[in-house]
Amino acid sequence: MTAHYFVHSHFFSKATFLCKIYVSLYSMRIGHIILYVIVFVLFFPFKSQATEKADTLNEQRAINNCKFNAKHLILPGTLIAVGASSLFFSPMEDLDHSLQKDFQELRSNHHSIELDEYLRFLPIATNYALHFTGVKSGYDTREQLLLTATSFVTMYALTQGLKHTIDRKRPDGSDNHSFPSGHVATAFLGAEQLRMNYGTWWGLAGYSVATGTAFLRLYNNRHWFSDVIGAAGIGILSARIGYWLLPWEKCVFGLNKNKSSVNIFAMPTFDTYNSSYGLAMTIQF
C-alpha cells in the first residue's frame, strides 16, 4: 500500500514537472509570436491594397493641387472684390456699419474674447500635426515647409501692403490698418491648406475654425465685415499660390533630385544561452 502510493506520487510529481516544462516552453513560444507580431506591425514595410490605393490618391491629389487652374481664382477673387467694394460702394459701407452696430449690441458690456489671437493658427497647426503623426498628404516635410513659407510670405505681403496703402480706420479707432484682417487671412490660409492636403472633411473643420476667427474679429470690434470677407479671399488665394509655385521651387532647390527616404527594418532575436530577448535593427537613409 505504501509502495503503491509512493509510485503513484512519484509518477504524479514527474508528470507535473513535465507539464511545467511544457507550459514554460509554450509560454516562451507565445512570447516569441507576440514579439514577432508587434515588430512586424510596427516596422515591416507592409502595405495593404487599400493603403496603396490611398497613397496613390494622395499623390494624384498633390499633383493636381500644383496645376494652375483659372477657375480656382473665382472664389478668392470674388471675396476680395466684395470686401474691397466697401471702399467705394456706399451700400456695402452701410452694411459694414449696420453689422458693426449689431455685433456691439451682442457684445453689450462683455469683455473682448481674445481667443482669436490663437485660433487663427489652429488650422495650420492641425495640418502639421496630421503630417507628423503619419497621415499621408502626398507631400514630404520639405514640401510642406515650402508650401507654408510661400503661402505666408504671399499673404503677409498682400495684407500688410493693403493695410498701409488703403489706410482704413478700425471700428474701435485704435489705428488705420483695418483692411484686410491679417488674423482672418492667416486662418483661411491654414484652412485651405488643410483642405487641399487632407480632403473635404478636414477642410470643413479648418474652415469652421477660420469662420470662428472672423466672427471674433467682428465681435471684438477690431474689423469691419468687409475686412474679414476680403481677408478670407486673400488667405485662400495665398494658399493656392503656394501650391502653384511648388513645382518651380522644387526645381530651384533640387528637391526632385534629392527625394529623402528612410527605410527601417527590425527583427527580434532570442539568445538561448542567456535566455534573453533582443532586437536587430537596420536603418537606411
Side-chain angles (χ1 to χ4, degrees), residues 61 65 119-149 151-152 186-199 202-203 205-206 209 239 243:
R61 181 174 59 199
N65 285 344
L119 201 62
R120 56 175 166 160
F121 295 116
L122 183 57
I124 198 65
T126 303
N127 180 70
Y128 278 96
L130 291 171
H131 175 73
F132 286 115
T133 52
V135 182
K136 301 295 183 182
S137 65
Y139 303 99
D140 62 25
T141 302
R142 293 179 298 178
E143 290 169 343
Q144 289 269 23
L145 291 173
L146 271 178
L147 283 170
T148 303
S151 299
F152 265 90
T186 299
F188 275 87
L189 184 158
E192 180 65 2
Q193 280 201 352
L194 201 55
R195 183 193 70 82
M196 296 184 78
N197 285 352
Y198 298 106
W202 280 109
V209 173
Y243 288 94

Side-chain angles (χ1 to χ4, degrees), residues 22 25 37 44 50 69-70 120 126 140 144 223 253 277 281:
Y22 176 77
L25 291 173
V37 169
F44 195 75
N69 189 335
R120 56 175 166 160
T126 303
D140 62 25
Q144 289 269 23
H223 284 286
F253 293 105
Y277 291 96
M281 180 180 294

Side-chain angles (χ1 to χ4, degrees), residues 155-167 179-180:
M155 183 271 296
Y156 185 83
L158 289 174
T159 54
Q160 294 302 313
L162 289 171
K163 281 177 179 292
H164 290 85
T165 301
I166 295 175
D167 204 35
F179 184 89

Side-chain angles (χ1 to χ4, degrees), residues 7-19:
V7 172
H8 179 75
S9 300
H10 178 71
F11 175 78
F12 182 78
S13 61
K14 186 176 181 180
T16 304
F17 177 72
L18 290 174
C19 287

